Amino acid sequence: MARQNVAEQFVDILARAGVQRLYGVVGDSLNPVVDAIRRNAAIDWVQVRHEEAAAFAAGAEAQITGKLAACAGSCGPGNLHLINGLYDAHRSMAPVLALASHIPTGEIGLGYFQETHPERLFDECSHYNEMITNPQQMPRLVQTAIQHAVGRGGVSVVTLPGDIASLPAPTKAVEHALLTSRPTVRPGDLEIDKLVSMIDDADRVTLFCGSGTAGAHAEVMEFAERIKSPIGHALRGKEWIQYDNKFDVGMSGLLGYGAAYEATHECDLLILLGTDFPYNAFLPDGTDVKIVQVDVRPERLGRRSQLDLAVWGDVRETLRCLNSRVRMKNDRRFLDKMLRKHAGALEGVVKAYTRKVDKHIPIHPEYVASVLDEVADDDAIFTVDTGMCNVWAARYLSPNGRRRVIGSFSHGSMANAMVQAVGAQFVDRERQVVSMSGDGGFTMLMGDFLTLVQYQLPVKIVLFNNSSLGMVELEMLVAGLPSYGTTNHNPDFAAVARAAGAFGVRVEKPKQLAGALKDAFKHKGPALVDVVTDPNALSIPPKISADMVQGFALSAGKIVLDGGVGRMVQMARSNLRNLPRP
């Protein structure tokens, strides 16, 4: 049997770690690795049109599966293109290993063609970032990179010069058992004791939940029942906590709705569960409300709010400890008051949404999101572009415990939705994947629409086409500036899709929408629904002040959208009907 080279050993280690595909663009220094993949049946090469798409796709795959995913870029500009998608994966705690191939080792530091310094460039968006300069570093260095990505949740970068990749691998290299999943973390007894005491002493407790509540829905509901607490959530917590939730009071922040803001400010004790919610202007300042934060990442404790107690632990394990110890509360007055406020807030805005929206031309984007929510599969994966599409997803997509919603919610990059859909669809070709794309984001990486066609990935793109950078116009408006440089001159995107070999349909009237979506969803391959939407769909969020807007250079601003919140009002009405009668 021929001796393996370094590239072949690298690919074998990835396959042993469960990686099924490597996203990237081929190039000279990367050729030994791509050739090793060609000869390895356990792993596939996915050819994208831009390396940024490769990183976004890998990050989305990792978020859907919870397992390690991988991407690669050739030397210099090739791996430099990865950086934006890697930032997003890292901030989303998605375990991704990125291969940055490099120039020949003998030329490093001499201004060689395409020379960069990957070991410096990727430091801020990775837990681990090292270069292989000698075959003897294999396989330990790659295994260490995998341990960092999986164990800490985020990105590891391995830099591999092309000449090293072609050298023989060490014959007696030690291979360790690979870490492929993360443990749960239980808080210490002292913190649990303090938290139990604080909860028992409080009359009004509110829970505010983020993505760290994934897998803890049952424990959160049991806890809320015991302490009679309203539950608010951040955007990344929506998919995990809002469904089957009779304590729901909505979402806080610039995209928020309902009574979440009031619930977090009128309580005695606010418990932040698995959230790194960045907008501290929407959180109480700690003078009248005691604040506790529970998070598995200790470096995140207290960086948004002044805490009365910091609890380092997994949300589910923490609540399991609390549910067996905290006293059952019987006073529902605060909870019921917040549920009534929540239902009233939703009733108020839903009227604007229901007024002639099925006849309005250009089409209300809220109407598009609402119809999409109705016709999409119950286990659909939605990928959501940054900007106004975030608003529509936050307010109109109904979670149910089976749907997933992926976006650049922490990094806030444009152009994420379609390329994240690539990674999500590769995980399961039979599962419905819907990209909620804005025309600005879609056109930024439009070349990778051809990736969908090339691999016949049945991604459905619902394009909110208002011919503008809508969120940027809002930012200018808040700053008192006239909009400038925000208008897009767009083609007929449906015609572009058909020319590329995909299904394409253009929708300009509301009555055409439902049928167009259903036809696209029935299509076996990639499909694009180009919906011409009204760029002037705006209104004021539930709680906003000038102080909240100040300091957010990229905030959504005072004005966000016009309309309601889709089927969420039905859930609020149902919860209100279930309130105990006095």
Side-chain angles (χ1 to χ4, degrees), residues 23-25 46-55 57 415 418-422 442-455 457 459 461 526:
Y23 301 90
V25 178
V46 177
Q47 176 188 348
V48 296
R49 303 306 174 101
H50 193 295
E51 289 90 351
E52 183 177 353
M418 179 183 67
V419 287
Q420 286 180 323
V422 171
F442 177 74
T443 53
M444 184 176 282
L445 285 176
M446 192 165 65
D448 269 286
F449 183 73
L450 300 178
T451 300
L452 302 180
V453 177
Q454 179 168 331
Y455 289 95
L457 293 172
V459 170
I461 298 173

PDB file of all heavy atoms in Angstrom, residues 23-25 46-55 57 415 418-422 442-455 457 459 461 526:
ATOM      1  N   TYR A  23     -16.647  22.373   1.273  1.00  0.00           N
ATOM      2  CA  TYR A  23     -17.094  23.426   0.369  1.00  0.00           C
ATOM      3  C   TYR A  23     -15.906  24.307  -0.007  1.00  0.00           C
ATOM      4  O   TYR A  23     -15.122  24.701   0.868  1.00  0.00           O
ATOM      5  CB  TYR A  23     -18.151  24.303   1.042  1.00  0.00           C
ATOM      6  CG  TYR A  23     -19.388  23.588   1.516  1.00  0.00           C
ATOM      7  CD1 TYR A  23     -19.460  23.064   2.802  1.00  0.00           C
ATOM      8  CD2 TYR A  23     -20.502  23.448   0.687  1.00  0.00           C
ATOM      9  CE1 TYR A  23     -20.605  22.423   3.263  1.00  0.00           C
ATOM     10  CE2 TYR A  23     -21.652  22.805   1.137  1.00  0.00           C
ATOM     11  CZ  TYR A  23     -21.697  22.298   2.427  1.00  0.00           C
ATOM     12  OH  TYR A  23     -22.835  21.668   2.874  1.00  0.00           O
ATOM     13  N   GLY A  24     -15.793  24.662  -1.287  1.00  0.00           N
ATOM     14  CA  GLY A  24     -14.689  25.537  -1.664  1.00  0.00           C
ATOM     15  C   GLY A  24     -14.610  25.774  -3.152  1.00  0.00           C
ATOM     16  O   GLY A  24     -15.477  25.375  -3.930  1.00  0.00           O
ATOM     17  N   VAL A  25     -13.525  26.448  -3.542  1.00  0.00           N
ATOM     18  CA  VAL A  25     -13.188  26.699  -4.949  1.00  0.00           C
ATOM     19  C   VAL A  25     -11.775  26.165  -5.160  1.00  0.00           C
ATOM     20  O   VAL A  25     -10.869  26.478  -4.388  1.00  0.00           O
ATOM     21  CB  VAL A  25     -13.240  28.204  -5.278  1.00  0.00           C
ATOM     22  CG1 VAL A  25     -12.829  28.449  -6.736  1.00  0.00           C
ATOM     23  CG2 VAL A  25     -14.632  28.766  -5.021  1.00  0.00           C
ATOM     24  N   VAL A  46     -17.629  20.056  -2.716  1.00  0.00           N
ATOM     25  CA  VAL A  46     -18.732  20.869  -3.216  1.00  0.00           C
ATOM     26  C   VAL A  46     -18.146  22.142  -3.802  1.00  0.00           C
ATOM     27  O   VAL A  46     -17.588  22.980  -3.091  1.00  0.00           O
ATOM     28  CB  VAL A  46     -19.741  21.214  -2.099  1.00  0.00           C
ATOM     29  CG1 VAL A  46     -20.838  22.123  -2.656  1.00  0.00           C
ATOM     30  CG2 VAL A  46     -20.354  19.939  -1.528  1.00  0.00           C
ATOM     31  N   GLN A  47     -18.295  22.274  -5.113  1.00  0.00           N
ATOM     32  CA  GLN A  47     -17.737  23.418  -5.828  1.00  0.00           C
ATOM     33  C   GLN A  47     -18.710  24.592  -5.798  1.00  0.00           C
ATOM     34  O   GLN A  47     -19.782  24.543  -6.404  1.00  0.00           O
ATOM     35  CB  GLN A  47     -17.451  23.037  -7.284  1.00  0.00           C
ATOM     36  CG  GLN A  47     -16.949  24.181  -8.138  1.00  0.00           C
ATOM     37  CD  GLN A  47     -16.860  23.798  -9.604  1.00  0.00           C
ATOM     38  OE1 GLN A  47     -16.965  22.628  -9.946  1.00  0.00           O
ATOM     39  NE2 GLN A  47     -16.677  24.784 -10.465  1.00  0.00           N
ATOM     40  N   VAL A  48     -18.366  25.645  -5.073  1.00  0.00           N
ATOM     41  CA  VAL A  48     -19.166  26.863  -5.063  1.00  0.00           C
ATOM     42  C   VAL A  48     -18.524  27.873  -6.005  1.00  0.00           C
ATOM     43  O   VAL A  48     -17.455  27.642  -6.556  1.00  0.00           O
ATOM     44  CB  VAL A  48     -19.286  27.432  -3.635  1.00  0.00           C
ATOM     45  CG1 VAL A  48     -20.036  26.467  -2.734  1.00  0.00           C
ATOM     46  CG2 VAL A  48     -17.916  27.757  -3.051  1.00  0.00           C
ATOM     47  N   ARG A  49     -19.177  29.027  -6.185  1.00  0.00           N
ATOM     48  CA  ARG A  49     -18.647  30.035  -7.104  1.00  0.00           C
ATOM     49  C   ARG A  49     -17.869  31.134  -6.374  1.00  0.00           C
ATOM     50  O   ARG A  49     -17.208  31.937  -7.018  1.00  0.00           O
ATOM     51  CB  ARG A  49     -19.793  30.650  -7.921  1.00  0.00           C
ATOM     52  CG  ARG A  49     -20.609  29.640  -8.719  1.00  0.00           C
ATOM     53  CD  ARG A  49     -19.719  28.780  -9.623  1.00  0.00           C
ATOM     54  NE  ARG A  49     -20.459  27.723 -10.289  1.00  0.00           N
ATOM     55  CZ  ARG A  49     -20.858  27.783 -11.561  1.00  0.00           C
ATOM     56  NH1 ARG A  49     -20.597  28.845 -12.297  1.00  0.00           N
ATOM     57  NH2 ARG A  49     -21.514  26.767 -12.087  1.00  0.00           N
ATOM     58  N   HIS A  50     -17.967  31.166  -5.057  1.00  0.00           N
ATOM     59  CA  HIS A  50     -17.260  32.178  -4.264  1.00  0.00           C
ATOM     60  C   HIS A  50     -16.969  31.558  -2.901  1.00  0.00           C
ATOM     61  O   HIS A  50     -17.843  30.930  -2.302  1.00  0.00           O
ATOM     62  CB  HIS A  50     -18.135  33.435  -4.113  1.00  0.00           C
ATOM     63  CG  HIS A  50     -17.408  34.636  -3.588  1.00  0.00           C
ATOM     64  ND1 HIS A  50     -16.873  34.693  -2.330  1.00  0.00           N
ATOM     65  CD2 HIS A  50     -17.133  35.838  -4.162  1.00  0.00           C
ATOM     66  CE1 HIS A  50     -16.300  35.878  -2.142  1.00  0.00           C
ATOM     67  NE2 HIS A  50     -16.433  36.584  -3.245  1.00  0.00           N
ATOM     68  N   GLU A  51     -15.743  31.737  -2.422  1.00  0.00           N
ATOM     69  CA  GLU A  51     -15.368  31.102  -1.157  1.00  0.00           C
ATOM     70  C   GLU A  51     -16.203  31.608   0.026  1.00  0.00           C
ATOM     71  O   GLU A  51     -16.390  30.880   1.016  1.00  0.00           O
ATOM     72  CB  GLU A  51     -13.881  31.325  -0.866  1.00  0.00           C
ATOM     73  CG  GLU A  51     -12.939  30.546  -1.761  1.00  0.00           C
ATOM     74  CD  GLU A  51     -12.550  31.300  -3.029  1.00  0.00           C
ATOM     75  OE1 GLU A  51     -13.166  32.375  -3.277  1.00  0.00           O
ATOM     76  OE2 GLU A  51     -11.669  30.832  -3.765  1.00  0.00           O
ATOM     77  N   GLU A  52     -16.702  32.833  -0.029  1.00  0.00           N
ATOM     78  CA  GLU A  52     -17.576  33.303   1.041  1.00  0.00           C
ATOM     79  C   GLU A  52     -18.800  32.399   1.158  1.00  0.00           C
ATOM     80  O   GLU A  52     -19.265  32.092   2.265  1.00  0.00           O
ATOM     81  CB  GLU A  52     -18.010  34.747   0.782  1.00  0.00           C
ATOM     82  CG  GLU A  52     -18.863  35.331   1.895  1.00  0.00           C
ATOM     83  CD  GLU A  52     -19.220  36.796   1.654  1.00  0.00           C
ATOM     84  OE1 GLU A  52     -18.692  37.401   0.697  1.00  0.00           O
ATOM     85  OE2 GLU A  52     -20.033  37.329   2.428  1.00  0.00           O
ATOM     86  N   ALA A  53     -19.315  31.969   0.007  1.00  0.00           N
ATOM     87  CA  ALA A  53     -20.445  31.041   0.001  1.00  0.00           C
ATOM     88  C   ALA A  53     -20.056  29.720   0.656  1.00  0.00           C
ATOM     89  O   ALA A  53     -20.870  29.096   1.354  1.00  0.00           O
ATOM     90  CB  ALA A  53     -20.924  30.807  -1.429  1.00  0.00           C
ATOM     91  N   ALA A  54     -18.820  29.282   0.452  1.00  0.00           N
ATOM     92  CA  ALA A  54     -18.358  28.032   1.060  1.00  0.00           C
ATOM     93  C   ALA A  54     -18.415  28.103   2.583  1.00  0.00           C
ATOM     94  O   ALA A  54     -18.869  27.168   3.258  1.00  0.00           O
ATOM     95  CB  ALA A  54     -16.931  27.732   0.604  1.00  0.00           C
ATOM     96  N   ALA A  55     -17.953  29.215   3.141  1.00  0.00           N
ATOM     97  CA  ALA A  55     -17.941  29.367   4.598  1.00  0.00           C
ATOM     98  C   ALA A  55     -19.355  29.476   5.148  1.00  0.00           C
ATOM     99  O   ALA A  55     -19.675  28.886   6.196  1.00  0.00           O
ATOM    100  CB  ALA A  55     -17.112  30.589   4.985  1.00  0.00           C
ATOM    101  N   ALA A  57     -22.064  28.246   3.783  1.00  0.00           N
ATOM    102  CA  ALA A  57     -22.703  26.932   3.639  1.00  0.00           C
ATOM    103  C   ALA A  57     -22.250  25.984   4.739  1.00  0.00           C
ATOM    104  O   ALA A  57     -23.061  25.262   5.329  1.00  0.00           O
ATOM    105  CB  ALA A  57     -22.398  26.348   2.263  1.00  0.00           C
ATOM    106  N   ALA A 415     -26.192  39.057   2.292  1.00  0.00           N
ATOM    107  CA  ALA A 415     -25.986  37.981   1.320  1.00  0.00           C
ATOM    108  C   ALA A 415     -25.843  36.603   1.937  1.00  0.00           C
ATOM    109  O   ALA A 415     -25.308  35.691   1.318  1.00  0.00           O
ATOM    110  CB  ALA A 415     -24.761  38.284   0.444  1.00  0.00           C
ATOM    111  N   MET A 418     -29.170  32.826   0.777  1.00  0.00           N
ATOM    112  CA  MET A 418     -29.119  31.825  -0.287  1.00  0.00           C
ATOM    113  C   MET A 418     -27.962  30.855  -0.087  1.00  0.00           C
ATOM    114  O   MET A 418     -28.108  29.638  -0.284  1.00  0.00           O
ATOM    115  CB  MET A 418     -29.004  32.494  -1.651  1.00  0.00           C
ATOM    116  CG  MET A 418     -28.920  31.500  -2.804  1.00  0.00           C
ATOM    117  SD  MET A 418     -28.704  32.271  -4.415  1.00  0.00           S
ATOM    118  CE  MET A 418     -27.062  32.977  -4.244  1.00  0.00           C
ATOM    119  N   VAL A 419     -26.794  31.371   0.324  1.00  0.00           N
ATOM    120  CA  VAL A 419     -25.630  30.488   0.440  1.00  0.00           C
ATOM    121  C   VAL A 419     -25.711  29.633   1.708  1.00  0.00           C
ATOM    122  O   VAL A 419     -25.183  28.516   1.741  1.00  0.00           O
ATOM    123  CB  VAL A 419     -24.320  31.300   0.373  1.00  0.00           C
ATOM    124  CG1 VAL A 419     -24.090  31.776  -1.053  1.00  0.00           C
ATOM    125  CG2 VAL A 419     -24.324  32.503   1.315  1.00  0.00           C
ATOM    126  N   GLN A 420     -26.377  30.124   2.752  1.00  0.00           N
ATOM    127  CA  GLN A 420     -26.642  29.245   3.885  1.00  0.00           C
ATOM    128  C   GLN A 420     -27.611  28.132   3.488  1.00  0.00           C
ATOM    129  O   GLN A 420     -27.505  27.008   3.981  1.00  0.00           O
ATOM    130  CB  GLN A 420     -27.214  30.044   5.055  1.00  0.00           C
ATOM    131  CG  GLN A 420     -26.173  30.897   5.774  1.00  0.00           C
ATOM    132  CD  GLN A 420     -26.759  31.686   6.925  1.00  0.00           C
ATOM    133  OE1 GLN A 420     -27.889  32.166   6.851  1.00  0.00           O
ATOM    134  NE2 GLN A 420     -25.993  31.853   7.993  1.00  0.00           N
ATOM    135  N   ALA A 421     -28.533  28.453   2.598  1.00  0.00           N
ATOM    136  CA  ALA A 421     -29.475  27.441   2.116  1.00  0.00           C
ATOM    137  C   ALA A 421     -28.751  26.302   1.402  1.00  0.00           C
ATOM    138  O   ALA A 421     -29.209  25.152   1.429  1.00  0.00           O
ATOM    139  CB  ALA A 421     -30.505  28.083   1.195  1.00  0.00           C
ATOM    140  N   VAL A 422     -27.626  26.601   0.765  1.00  0.00           N
ATOM    141  CA  VAL A 422     -26.836  25.554   0.110  1.00  0.00           C
ATOM    142  C   VAL A 422     -26.428  24.490   1.125  1.00  0.00           C
ATOM    143  O   VAL A 422     -26.636  23.285   0.930  1.00  0.00           O
ATOM    144  CB  VAL A 422     -25.594  26.160  -0.585  1.00  0.00           C
ATOM    145  CG1 VAL A 422     -24.655  25.053  -1.064  1.00  0.00           C
ATOM    146  CG2 VAL A 422     -26.005  27.046  -1.755  1.00  0.00           C
ATOM    147  N   PHE A 442     -29.366  39.042  -2.310  1.00  0.00           N
ATOM    148  CA  PHE A 442     -29.329  38.024  -3.364  1.00  0.00           C
ATOM    149  C   PHE A 442     -28.336  38.386  -4.450  1.00  0.00           C
ATOM    150  O   PHE A 442     -27.539  37.551  -4.892  1.00  0.00           O
ATOM    151  CB  PHE A 442     -30.727  37.844  -3.953  1.00  0.00           C
ATOM    152  CG  PHE A 442     -30.784  36.866  -5.090  1.00  0.00           C
ATOM    153  CD1 PHE A 442     -30.684  35.505  -4.862  1.00  0.00           C
ATOM    154  CD2 PHE A 442     -30.938  37.308  -6.403  1.00  0.00           C
ATOM    155  CE1 PHE A 442     -30.732  34.597  -5.913  1.00  0.00           C
ATOM    156  CE2 PHE A 442     -30.994  36.418  -7.459  1.00  0.00           C
ATOM    157  CZ  PHE A 442     -30.890  35.050  -7.209  1.00  0.00           C
ATOM    158  N   THR A 443     -28.351  39.632  -4.884  1.00  0.00           N
ATOM    159  CA  THR A 443     -27.470  40.016  -5.993  1.00  0.00           C
ATOM    160  C   THR A 443     -26.007  40.082  -5.574  1.00  0.00           C
ATOM    161  O   THR A 443     -25.128  39.971  -6.416  1.00  0.00           O
ATOM    162  CB  THR A 443     -27.895  41.373  -6.587  1.00  0.00           C
ATOM    163  OG1 THR A 443     -27.995  42.350  -5.537  1.00  0.00           O
ATOM    164  CG2 THR A 443     -29.235  41.257  -7.293  1.00  0.00           C
ATOM    165  N   MET A 444     -25.737  40.254  -4.277  1.00  0.00           N
ATOM    166  CA  MET A 444     -24.351  40.331  -3.832  1.00  0.00           C
ATOM    167  C   MET A 444     -23.601  39.028  -4.095  1.00  0.00           C
ATOM    168  O   MET A 444     -22.422  39.030  -4.454  1.00  0.00           O
ATOM    169  CB  MET A 444     -24.285  40.693  -2.350  1.00  0.00           C
ATOM    170  CG  MET A 444     -22.876  40.880  -1.829  1.00  0.00           C
ATOM    171  SD  MET A 444     -22.812  41.408  -0.099  1.00  0.00           S
ATOM    172  CE  MET A 444     -23.190  43.156  -0.275  1.00  0.00           C
ATOM    173  N   LEU A 445     -24.273  37.886  -3.902  1.00  0.00           N
ATOM    174  CA  LEU A 445     -23.644  36.589  -4.167  1.00  0.00           C
ATOM    175  C   LEU A 445     -24.465  35.786  -5.172  1.00  0.00           C
ATOM    176  O   LEU A 445     -24.562  34.562  -5.087  1.00  0.00           O
ATOM    177  CB  LEU A 445     -23.480  35.799  -2.868  1.00  0.00           C
ATOM    178  CG  LEU A 445     -22.361  36.263  -1.933  1.00  0.00           C
ATOM    179  CD1 LEU A 445     -22.372  35.460  -0.630  1.00  0.00           C
ATOM    180  CD2 LEU A 445     -20.993  36.134  -2.591  1.00  0.00           C
ATOM    181  N   MET A 446     -25.037  36.483  -6.157  1.00  0.00           N
ATOM    182  CA  MET A 446     -25.941  35.848  -7.103  1.00  0.00           C
ATOM    183  C   MET A 446     -25.263  34.755  -7.914  1.00  0.00           C
ATOM    184  O   MET A 446     -25.916  33.823  -8.398  1.00  0.00           O
ATOM    185  CB  MET A 446     -26.551  36.900  -8.034  1.00  0.00           C
ATOM    186  CG  MET A 446     -27.705  36.393  -8.859  1.00  0.00           C
ATOM    187  SD  MET A 446     -28.686  37.719  -9.624  1.00  0.00           S
ATOM    188  CE  MET A 446     -27.499  38.431 -10.758  1.00  0.00           C
ATOM    189  N   GLY A 447     -23.958  34.821  -8.041  1.00  0.00           N
ATOM    190  CA  GLY A 447     -23.253  33.784  -8.795  1.00  0.00           C
ATOM    191  C   GLY A 447     -23.484  32.393  -8.240  1.00  0.00           C
ATOM    192  O   GLY A 447     -23.488  31.405  -8.979  1.00  0.00           O
ATOM    193  N   ASP A 448     -23.707  32.294  -6.932  1.00  0.00           N
ATOM    194  CA  ASP A 448     -23.901  30.973  -6.352  1.00  0.00           C
ATOM    195  C   ASP A 448     -25.319  30.453  -6.491  1.00  0.00           C
ATOM    196  O   ASP A 448     -25.623  29.346  -6.027  1.00  0.00           O
ATOM    197  CB  ASP A 448     -23.451  30.965  -4.888  1.00  0.00           C
ATOM    198  CG  ASP A 448     -21.990  30.559  -4.771  1.00  0.00           C
ATOM    199  OD1 ASP A 448     -21.696  29.365  -4.948  1.00  0.00           O
ATOM    200  OD2 ASP A 448     -21.140  31.446  -4.568  1.00  0.00           O
ATOM    201  N   PHE A 449     -26.188  31.205  -7.155  1.00  0.00           N
ATOM    202  CA  PHE A 449     -27.442  30.610  -7.610  1.00  0.00           C
ATOM    203  C   PHE A 449     -27.129  29.459  -8.573  1.00  0.00           C
ATOM    204  O   PHE A 449     -27.856  28.460  -8.628  1.00  0.00           O
ATOM    205  CB  PHE A 449     -28.314  31.660  -8.294  1.00  0.00           C
ATOM    206  CG  PHE A 449     -29.656  31.143  -8.726  1.00  0.00           C
ATOM    207  CD1 PHE A 449     -30.650  30.879  -7.800  1.00  0.00           C
ATOM    208  CD2 PHE A 449     -29.930  30.898 -10.072  1.00  0.00           C
ATOM    209  CE1 PHE A 449     -31.894  30.394  -8.190  1.00  0.00           C
ATOM    210  CE2 PHE A 449     -31.164  30.410 -10.471  1.00  0.00           C
ATOM    211  CZ  PHE A 449     -32.155  30.165  -9.522  1.00  0.00           C
ATOM    212  N   LEU A 450     -26.014  29.603  -9.299  1.00  0.00           N
ATOM    213  CA  LEU A 450     -25.600  28.550 -10.219  1.00  0.00           C
ATOM    214  C   LEU A 450     -25.158  27.286  -9.485  1.00  0.00           C
ATOM    215  O   LEU A 450     -25.190  26.188 -10.056  1.00  0.00           O
ATOM    216  CB  LEU A 450     -24.479  29.061 -11.123  1.00  0.00           C
ATOM    217  CG  LEU A 450     -24.835  30.269 -11.993  1.00  0.00           C
ATOM    218  CD1 LEU A 450     -23.631  30.715 -12.810  1.00  0.00           C
ATOM    219  CD2 LEU A 450     -26.019  29.945 -12.902  1.00  0.00           C
ATOM    220  N   THR A 451     -24.723  27.437  -8.229  1.00  0.00           N
ATOM    221  CA  THR A 451     -24.395  26.252  -7.424  1.00  0.00           C
ATOM    222  C   THR A 451     -25.651  25.423  -7.184  1.00  0.00           C
ATOM    223  O   THR A 451     -25.621  24.181  -7.252  1.00  0.00           O
ATOM    224  CB  THR A 451     -23.767  26.673  -6.089  1.00  0.00           C
ATOM    225  OG1 THR A 451     -22.571  27.422  -6.345  1.00  0.00           O
ATOM    226  CG2 THR A 451     -23.414  25.462  -5.236  1.00  0.00           C
ATOM    227  N   LEU A 452     -26.771  26.100  -6.912  1.00  0.00           N
ATOM    228  CA  LEU A 452     -28.029  25.383  -6.753  1.00  0.00           C
ATOM    229  C   LEU A 452     -28.379  24.610  -8.011  1.00  0.00           C
ATOM    230  O   LEU A 452     -28.819  23.456  -7.954  1.00  0.00           O
ATOM    231  CB  LEU A 452     -29.163  26.363  -6.422  1.00  0.00           C
ATOM    232  CG  LEU A 452     -29.027  27.235  -5.181  1.00  0.00           C
ATOM    233  CD1 LEU A 452     -30.258  28.127  -5.032  1.00  0.00           C
ATOM    234  CD2 LEU A 452     -28.828  26.395  -3.933  1.00  0.00           C
ATOM    235  N   VAL A 453     -28.192  25.251  -9.148  1.00  0.00           N
ATOM    236  CA  VAL A 453     -28.529  24.618 -10.426  1.00  0.00           C
ATOM    237  C   VAL A 453     -27.570  23.466 -10.722  1.00  0.00           C
ATOM    238  O   VAL A 453     -27.987  22.383 -11.153  1.00  0.00           O
ATOM    239  CB  VAL A 453     -28.508  25.656 -11.562  1.00  0.00           C
ATOM    240  CG1 VAL A 453     -28.778  24.985 -12.900  1.00  0.00           C
ATOM    241  CG2 VAL A 453     -29.528  26.761 -11.298  1.00  0.00           C
ATOM    242  N   GLN A 454     -26.285  23.694 -10.498  1.00  0.00           N
ATOM    243  CA  GLN A 454     -25.284  22.679 -10.811  1.00  0.00           C
ATOM    244  C   GLN A 454     -25.523  21.389 -10.040  1.00  0.00           C
ATOM    245  O   GLN A 454     -25.395  20.283 -10.592  1.00  0.00           O
ATOM    246  CB  GLN A 454     -23.883  23.214 -10.499  1.00  0.00           C
ATOM    247  CG  GLN A 454     -22.760  22.215 -10.781  1.00  0.00           C
ATOM    248  CD  GLN A 454     -21.405  22.874 -10.749  1.00  0.00           C
ATOM    249  OE1 GLN A 454     -21.261  24.060 -11.038  1.00  0.00           O
ATOM    250  NE2 GLN A 454     -20.378  22.118 -10.394  1.00  0.00           N
ATOM    251  N   TYR A 455     -25.885  21.516  -8.759  1.00  0.00           N
ATOM    252  CA  TYR A 455     -26.115  20.332  -7.927  1.00  0.00           C
ATOM    253  C   TYR A 455     -27.594  19.969  -7.823  1.00  0.00           C
ATOM    254  O   TYR A 455     -27.946  19.052  -7.093  1.00  0.00           O
ATOM    255  CB  TYR A 455     -25.529  20.552  -6.533  1.00  0.00           C
ATOM    256  CG  TYR A 455     -24.014  20.555  -6.521  1.00  0.00           C
ATOM    257  CD1 TYR A 455     -23.310  21.744  -6.588  1.00  0.00           C
ATOM    258  CD2 TYR A 455     -23.304  19.366  -6.468  1.00  0.00           C
ATOM    259  CE1 TYR A 455     -21.922  21.755  -6.581  1.00  0.00           C
ATOM    260  CE2 TYR A 455     -21.913  19.358  -6.472  1.00  0.00           C
ATOM    261  CZ  TYR A 455     -21.227  20.566  -6.531  1.00  0.00           C
ATOM    262  OH  TYR A 455     -19.849  20.569  -6.537  1.00  0.00           O
ATOM    263  N   LEU A 457     -29.942  21.353  -6.274  1.00  0.00           N
ATOM    264  CA  LEU A 457     -30.421  21.466  -4.904  1.00  0.00           C
ATOM    265  C   LEU A 457     -31.801  22.118  -4.925  1.00  0.00           C
ATOM    266  O   LEU A 457     -31.958  23.216  -5.460  1.00  0.00           O
ATOM    267  CB  LEU A 457     -29.459  22.320  -4.066  1.00  0.00           C
ATOM    268  CG  LEU A 457     -28.080  21.726  -3.811  1.00  0.00           C
ATOM    269  CD1 LEU A 457     -27.187  22.758  -3.137  1.00  0.00           C
ATOM    270  CD2 LEU A 457     -28.177  20.467  -2.963  1.00  0.00           C
ATOM    271  N   VAL A 459     -33.562  24.092  -3.350  1.00  0.00           N
ATOM    272  CA  VAL A 459     -33.778  25.281  -2.526  1.00  0.00           C
ATOM    273  C   VAL A 459     -34.823  26.173  -3.186  1.00  0.00           C
ATOM    274  O   VAL A 459     -34.808  26.374  -4.405  1.00  0.00           O
ATOM    275  CB  VAL A 459     -32.459  26.058  -2.340  1.00  0.00           C
ATOM    276  CG1 VAL A 459     -32.715  27.421  -1.701  1.00  0.00           C
ATOM    277  CG2 VAL A 459     -31.476  25.254  -1.503  1.00  0.00           C
ATOM    278  N   ILE A 461     -36.114  29.947  -3.321  1.00  0.00           N
ATOM    279  CA  ILE A 461     -35.771  31.329  -2.980  1.00  0.00           C
ATOM    280  C   ILE A 461     -37.011  32.190  -3.133  1.00  0.00           C
ATOM    281  O   ILE A 461     -37.585  32.295  -4.220  1.00  0.00           O
ATOM    282  CB  ILE A 461     -34.641  31.859  -3.876  1.00  0.00           C
ATOM    283  CG1 ILE A 461     -33.369  31.038  -3.664  1.00  0.00           C
ATOM    284  CG2 ILE A 461     -34.377  33.338  -3.589  1.00  0.00           C
ATOM    285  CD1 ILE A 461     -32.255  31.384  -4.617  1.00  0.00           C
ATOM    286  N   PRO A 526     -34.222  23.575  -7.978  1.00  0.00           N
ATOM    287  CA  PRO A 526     -34.176  24.931  -7.440  1.00  0.00           C
ATOM    288  C   PRO A 526     -35.244  25.813  -8.067  1.00  0.00           C
ATOM    289  O   PRO A 526     -35.583  25.650  -9.245  1.00  0.00           O
ATOM    290  CB  PRO A 526     -32.770  25.416  -7.801  1.00  0.00           C
ATOM    291  CG  PRO A 526     -32.340  24.563  -8.948  1.00  0.00           C
ATOM    292  CD  PRO A 526     -33.001  23.242  -8.743  1.00  0.00           C
TER     293      PRO A 526
END
